[in-house]
Amino acid sequence: MRTENSGRGLVQRLLQGSLVTQILIGLVAGIALAWFSKSNALAVGLLGELFVSALKAVAPLLVLVLVISSIANHQQGQKTNIRPIVMLYLLSTFFAAVVAVVASHMLPQTLTLKTASTEIVPPSGILEVLHGLLMSMVANPIEALMKANYIGILVWAIGLGFAFRHSSESTRTFLNDASDAVTRLVRIVIRFAPIGIFGLVGSILASTGFDALWEYASLLMLLLGCMLLMALVFNPLLVWWQIRRNPYPLVFTCLRESGVTAFFTRSSAANIPVNMALAKKLGLDEDTYSVSIPIGANISMAGASITITVLTLAAVHTLGIHVDVGTAILLSLVASVCACGASGVAGGSLLLIPVACNMFGIPNEVAMQVVAVGFIIGVLQDSAETALNSSADILFTAAACMAEDRRVEQNA
């Protein structure tokens, strides 16, 4: 009996303890295991795969049910803050491209280009990216759920949400109950984050290490530096513009509780449940965050914008192409559009580099070699990019909600 009670007490402490602290313990344990036993670290990679797969599996259903329920149960006259949030997403993505242009001008990078992979086929231009996005919007809803096509899921969820506004009260109550049920399921999955992070870190360090990164250390440092500048300077400035007070407590909370998980899962989609849970913890308006966070996973792409811009300009400098101010501004716009379309392209931001290279007349063969370089440094680049993208989703949602609360208090 005493053993059974102690076991229950341990489970309760695990469920009620700080998730961030447990994730940090899992992180340290994963590093230690990879250091002392490579074979065991590779074996526990299964835990990481299971965790990421569970998040990816539940995220599409969560987005569909939450968005439908939120719109269907929305009361006439009740305000949401989607418009300012979307504006913050787009401003952050554009500013990230500008930061990358300036940094690449101050610290120009050159590449030793090698043979490119012929297995990956990038879009031929922005029109193809936009075409892919539009086709994703009208995809079959069942297929969209199966393939985690979040653009299609959002479109169907919004449409069904407005349609269900005209349904009976009992139907809207059922949708609300379904939303709560899926949310509880997601919370259970998220509680396994420390174990998942432990497996991910151990297997990644054991299988790849960082030896392959040293050749491109300068390029990688520029990418990470730009992302840190966005996360710690420009995004906080945008938040301050909204809430008019010290933004850093909120910034660090979002980086700690959203960015850390996103860094290791390397999937904005998989991090949607984490951001939803954090939004609930922060006491944000559910009608707002249940829509804004899935939208952010598609268009809040500051990290992708930096990756596209830095690697494109590295190719430009390698080939000795001159870049004037007008061209730099145009590149920032092109990179922003490409970044917002990254979620609709297999391979994400790296596969959109040839689109940006095309405006400089760089041949596709050379552009694909730049993409190959991106895959080499992708262990850290993609992790940092996802952390910046995903943490910004919840950061700007929280900032807009807080700004609205401040305006209501001032007008009261």
Side-chain angles (χ1 to χ4, degrees):
M1 177 69 77
R2 182 177 298 176
T3 304
E4 182 179 345
N5 290 335
S6 62
R8 287 178 180 173
L10 177 61
V11 171
Q12 288 179 351
R13 284 197 297 273
L14 287 174
L15 293 176
Q16 296 173 1
S18 170
L19 185 61
V20 175
T21 301
Q22 293 173 7
I23 288 175
L24 291 176
I25 293 172
L27 172 62
V28 173
I31 294 172
L33 183 62
W35 179 269
F36 290 110
S37 178
K38 182 177 179 180
S39 59
N40 288 329
L42 289 171
V44 299
L46 176 62
L47 298 174
E49 292 177 17
L50 288 172
F51 173 64
V52 174
S53 296
L55 280 176
K56 287 183 176 179
V58 76
L61 182 61
L62 174 70
V63 171
L64 180 71
V65 174
L66 276 183
V67 173
I68 291 176
S69 174
S70 177
I71 295 176
N73 288 285
H74 178 74
Q75 300 297 321
Q76 294 293 334
Q78 183 179 351
K79 284 194 68 176
T80 59
N81 303 299
I82 301 299
R83 187 178 298 175
I85 295 171
V86 170
M87 182 181 66
L88 289 170
Y89 288 160
L90 296 177
L91 283 175
S92 176
T93 301
F94 176 71
F95 288 162
V98 174
V99 167
V101 167
V102 174
S104 295
H105 177 72
M106 296 174 63
L107 300 168
Q109 303 293 309
T110 55
L111 304 172
T112 303
L113 300 177
K114 299 180 180 180
T115 304
S117 170
T118 58
E119 298 178 359
I120 47 181
V121 180
S124 59
I126 292 180
L127 288 178
E128 186 174 339
V129 175
L130 294 175
H131 176 269
L133 286 173
L134 290 173
M135 293 304 295
S136 296
M137 292 172 66
V138 294
N140 181 289
I142 305 301
E143 184 181 359
L145 278 170
M146 292 175 62
K147 294 185 176 180
N149 169 14
Y150 285 91
I151 298 172
I153 291 170
L154 273 174
V155 169
W156 280 102
I158 291 170
L160 288 170
F162 280 109
F164 276 120
R165 277 192 176 186
H166 303 286
S167 61
S168 65
E169 186 66 31
S170 59
T171 300
R172 293 199 296 272
T173 301
F174 167 76
L175 290 172
N176 198 44
D177 290 342
S179 172
D180 290 341
V182 175
T183 302
R184 288 194 186 94
L185 183 62
V186 168
R187 287 201 201 104
I188 294 172
V189 174
I190 291 175
R191 290 308 309 186
F192 287 93
I195 299 173
I197 295 297
F198 166 68
L200 285 169
V201 173
S203 61
I204 288 173
L205 292 180
S207 60
T208 64
F210 297 101
D211 292 341
L213 303 178
W214 290 117
E215 182 182 353
Y216 299 101
S218 177
L219 177 64
L220 182 61
M221 289 302 105
L222 179 61
L223 280 165
L224 297 181
C226 290
M227 292 178 191
L228 281 173
L229 202 59
M230 281 303 302
L232 299 178
V233 178
F234 289 96
N235 281 354
L237 281 174
L238 287 172
V239 172
W240 176 85
W241 175 47
Q242 288 291 307
I243 65 176
R244 301 292 174 165
R245 63 174 186 266
N246 182 8
Y248 284 100
L250 178 61
V251 169
F252 290 136
T253 296
C254 294
L255 286 174
R256 183 177 68 249
E257 301 200 19
S258 173
V260 170
T261 308
F263 184 90
F264 292 106
T265 61
R266 296 168 66 179
S267 170
S268 293
N271 215 48
I272 287 175
V274 177
N275 282 343
M276 293 283 195
L278 178 55
K280 186 175 183 66
K281 179 179 177 181
L282 292 173
L284 306 183
D285 177 32
E286 187 173 352
D287 282 342
T288 298
Y289 73 72
S290 62
V291 177
S292 69
I293 288 176
I295 289 176
N298 288 284
I299 67 170
S300 177
M301 292 288 178
S305 184
I306 288 169
T307 297
I308 294 168
T309 305
V310 168
L311 286 172
T312 298
L313 288 177
V316 167
H317 292 138
T318 300
L319 298 174
I321 300 172
H322 174 68
V323 181
D324 56 28
V325 175
T327 306
I329 294 173
L330 180 60
L331 173 61
S332 299
L333 290 171
V334 170
S336 300
V337 174
C338 288
C340 290
S343 61
V345 176
S349 59
L350 293 178
L351 267 296
L352 289 163
I353 291 170
V355 179
C357 285
N358 186 63
M359 66 174 285
F360 293 98
I362 297 175
N364 192 57
E365 294 78 10
V366 176
M368 289 310 297
Q369 293 179 47
V370 179
V371 174
V373 171
F375 281 116
I376 292 173
I377 63 175
V379 174
L380 283 179
Q381 169 268 325
D382 189 38
S383 295
E385 177 184 313
T386 307
L388 174 59
N389 291 343
S390 192
S391 62
D393 298 348
I394 179 63
L395 175 66
F396 292 137
T397 296
C401 289
M402 291 177 179
E404 180 61 25
D405 290 343
R406 181 174 64 86
R407 282 191 289 270
V408 170
E409 290 177 1
Q410 288 176 346
N411 294 331

